[in-house]
Amino acid sequence: MTTDRAPAPAPPLRIKDEECGRLSGVMEIVGRRWSSGILLAMAMGAERFTEIQHRVDGLSGRMLSVRLRELEEGGLVLRIVAPTTPVSITYRLSERGMDLLRSLQPIAHYARRWDPSVEEQRGAAASGSR
């Protein structure tokens, strides 16, 4: 038996104020321009300043420096200084940074699913196959 009724609404999500505050702090760091691109570049293996800069289109050296400092202060990135001549500096995601990227995967899936350009492509493909 089928029915024309809409499905029952899902129960409201309940997030405690304390959790909401923590989430806001994390989202503020990740939501800053260039931060997610930097984290993704590092997750894909970029460790040196110039490698990271080249993997993130449009990112200036000055802004990369600022964002790396913020991500390091947030505990997401480790700055490793090797006492060589000249000094060698590399950057790596911390365990916390890797965990954050894993946590963001459902949001990335959401963004792909609801991206208007993807929807338009799906619509064009569907109408072209008729």
Side-chain angles (χ1 to χ4, degrees), residues 29-41:
I29 290 172
V30 174
R32 287 188 182 134
R33 185 165 183 171
W34 309 113
S35 292
S36 59
I38 293 166
L39 293 172
L40 289 172

Side-chain angles (χ1 to χ4, degrees), residues 109-130:
H109 175 73
Y110 170 87
R112 277 191 309 273
R113 181 175 178 193
W114 294 101
D115 181 345
S117 64
V118 172
E119 290 296 316
E120 290 169 10
Q121 289 171 4
R122 285 184 192 146
S127 65
S129 63
R130 291 181 186 171

Side-chain angles (χ1 to χ4, degrees), residues 44-116:
M44 293 172 25
E47 293 186 337
R48 300 189 55 82
F49 188 93
T50 54
E51 288 175 319
I52 298 167
Q53 186 178 6
H54 289 300
R55 289 197 187 188
V56 183
D57 289 336
L59 176 60
S60 71
R62 182 182 180 290
M63 186 51 65
L64 175 56
S65 186
V66 168
R67 289 295 182 255
L68 283 171
R69 196 171 309 116
E70 291 171 351
L71 294 168
E72 183 182 4
E73 288 170 3
L76 302 172
V77 169
L78 302 171
R79 182 176 186 262
I80 301 153
V81 180
T84 58
T85 305
V87 172
S88 174
I89 299 172
T90 56
Y91 298 90
R92 291 203 181 111
L93 290 174
S94 66
E95 184 177 339
R96 184 176 179 175
M98 287 298 294
D99 193 36
L100 175 62
L101 283 179
R102 283 189 289 273
S103 299
L104 291 174
Q105 286 180 345
I107 295 173
H109 175 73
Y110 170 87
R112 277 191 309 273
R113 181 175 178 193
W114 294 101
D115 181 345

